Amino acid sequence: MKRGDVTELAGSVGVGAWTAFAVLAVTTHGGPLWFDHSLLTWSLHHRPGLLLALARGVTATGTGALPYLLAALAGVVAGRSARQRLSAAALGLACLTGGQALRYGVMEALHRARPPRVDWATAASGWSFPSGHATTGALTAGLLVVALSLRAPRGGTALCVAVGCWGALVGLTRGYLAVHWFSDVVGGWLFAAGWLGLCLCAAAHWLPATFLAPPADPQSPEEHAPQDPGRRGRSRPA
């Protein structure tokens, strides 16, 4: 994609996500939404031991050092040279760290309470909206998907889907374990989409155009078309 197309697309996604996030934040400021209680009740009645263990394992991947390692890995995948990889890894870490700092500020400003503590199936701290795990998982997955789309536009589809599913599951486990309302999870996804769109828009504007170029296709007929040495120097017949 051209630089202008990337900037426009990322900016449009960011503005749309921020708008939806603002609407959801205002709507949920008065308390849980109509579907929050229903989904919480469903999760409380569908908690076999195996699913609880799996949910706790998945939710643990949405915090700690792993998301930052994956964000750095996304930069390594996106870069072409050693210098580009180092710069892209730093940008990925800055995007994730900056997003977390901004999310924390929003969370402290909104002061939304979590579901009742008696229903929690894992440890949690802080306020509820937006979900930190959902934000982290979506941001990290988004960075990886962008990197794979840049460097493996044809062969990375299955891996992009797997990464996207992981990011979504991290958020969903927060509602399943009853430490967040489902609207908190949706808020985290929207926040991540808005912040990632802003970061990509800035990166597309400032990074060199060669950074955004897809890898050359080794099967391209234009680059590997056979040449007829016998025609060199001959003029085309009239």
Side-chain angles (χ1 to χ4, degrees):
M1 296 180 68
K2 298 179 180 179
R3 181 198 298 269
D5 295 337
V6 175
T7 304
E8 182 178 355
L9 177 61
S12 299
V13 171
V15 170
W18 282 127
T19 302
F21 176 80
V23 171
L24 183 62
V26 171
T27 305
T28 59
H29 193 61
L33 300 183
W34 61 271
F35 55 81
D36 282 327
H37 288 291
S38 299
L39 291 175
L40 176 63
T41 301
W42 181 90
S43 70
L44 294 177
H45 289 85
H46 296 82
R47 283 184 174 179
L50 178 60
L51 282 183
L52 270 181
L54 288 173
R56 290 182 180 126
V58 172
T59 207
T61 64
T63 188
L66 180 61
Y68 292 91
L69 291 174
L70 293 177
L73 177 61
V76 172
V77 172
R80 288 182 170 182
S81 64
R83 184 174 181 178
Q84 279 190 354
R85 292 187 182 103
L86 184 61
S87 299
L91 289 173
L93 290 172
C95 176
L96 184 56
T97 304
Q100 290 287 37
L102 182 60
R103 179 201 62 82
Y104 187 81
V106 172
M107 181 186 69
E108 287 293 322
L110 294 178
H111 273 67
R112 188 186 189 192
R114 293 179 182 269
R117 184 180 292 268
V118 67
D119 296 329
W120 293 7
T122 191
S125 61
W127 298 102
S128 194
F129 183 90
S131 166
H133 281 69
T135 303
T136 303
L139 262 180
T140 306
L143 289 170
L144 285 168
V145 168
V146 169
L148 290 169
S149 300
L150 279 175
R151 297 298 166 242
R154 295 185 179 179
T157 303
L159 190 54
C160 286
V161 171
V163 168
C165 289
W166 166 77
L169 283 174
V170 169
L172 290 174
T173 57
R174 305 306 286 172
Y176 182 73
L177 296 172
V179 291
H180 278 287
W181 303 107
F182 183 67
S183 53
D184 298 334
V185 175
V186 176
W189 291 339
L190 291 174
F191 183 93
W195 179 248
L196 185 60
L198 177 63
C199 292
L200 291 178
C201 185
H205 181 74
W206 292 107
L207 287 176
T210 54
F211 196 95
L212 301 175
D217 186 356
Q219 302 299 325
S220 175
E222 296 182 0
E223 295 181 5
H224 298 274
Q227 298 291 333
D228 183 2
R231 291 184 58 87
R232 294 180 182 175
R234 296 181 184 177
S235 60
R236 174 177 295 182

